[in-house]
Amino acid sequence: MKSLLHITNGDSFTSRLQTLPIKGDIITWREMLCEGKTLASVGSESFWKTRFEFLNKNYKVSKSWFVEKTLKEYRSLCNHKQQDKIVLWFEYDLFCQVNMLAVISWLKTHRRHAEISLVCSGKEDDSDRLYALNELSDEQLLKLYENKVVLSQDDIEYADYVWQLYCSDNPIRLENLTDFKNYSFAYLSDAIKAHLERFPSIKNGLNAVENNVLEVATQHKPKTKRELLGKVLSNQNSYGYGDSQYERIIANIKPLFSSFNPVRLNKTGKEVLERQTNYYAYLRDNEAYLGGALKYNFLYNTDNNKILKL
């Protein structure tokens, strides 16, 4: 019996996995690398220092919480040196796919001889809907596990390469990737597209996520900010963001709202949404990063889906 290690995408799925008749130790990857600055050297001292600074500043994550939750689990991963089979449990969305790339990059360096497999949920039936792991029945999860994809050396090298590009200071190199279909990552192409759409739009200075918040506010006319959050969470395409991420996004574009009770855009908000006013200058933040790139050093052209460097 070869020894087995599972690396999951978060605590709620770890709890679920513990209830399934699947052997092996479990490590939870507690990070959200789709937000804030990332360095390519996953697990290095400078990597964790950079991550803590971002999480502390933007999400008020305390040092003790970070050490207890993220670093302790990471150290546990470092200590699992014996397992020669490692199974990754991730989902189709941007949040998960970026974490997945980072984990594979780390494994490429630190677990060179392990067999790495991927269980990735997404398209599970004939509908257009994409599913999170926790939305699946035990039977579906066991079937996914049975059909897990063993990653080839080429797959691992490619994931590491995409991670290096994600952490580079120029997203245009990511835009030029076209060979996703040659590798075992069915949802990576869409995730990278969603990532690039997070750079400010050339039309109004807001990115796709921020524009979506304004659109949901206008179309659904939520009565409260809580209701707005709920609607945005269920209308977010392939980002996989949580409450706290949207709270931060809403706080950032708060000047475009006249009220949150009920939720209403003000005159500027409406003009921005209708692409009559460009809000770039008001949002520009020289410390906002997406991966390794400064968010406001680039613009996204929605007409041809191209990134422009300023």
Side-chain angles (χ1 to χ4, degrees), residues 56 85 89 98 106 118 161 169 203 282 284 287 309:
N56 174 256
K85 290 199 167 193
W89 296 80
V98 173
W106 185 88
L118 176 62
Y161 174 62
D169 61 4
K203 302 250 171 100
Y282 301 96
R284 188 182 172 111
E287 288 178 20
K309 187 171 187 346

Side-chain angles (χ1 to χ4, degrees), residues 205-224:
L206 269 62
N207 68 14
V209 191
E210 293 153 349
N211 274 311
N212 187 45
V213 172
L214 296 191
E215 275 158 23
V216 168
T218 306
Q219 285 168 13
H220 295 276
K221 300 183 171 46
K223 304 270 188 297
T224 61

Side-chain angles (χ1 to χ4, degrees), residues 115-126:
E115 177 191 282
I116 301 165
S117 305
L118 176 62
V119 180
C120 190
S121 70
K123 189 166 173 50
E124 305 303 329
D125 57 28
D126 294 335

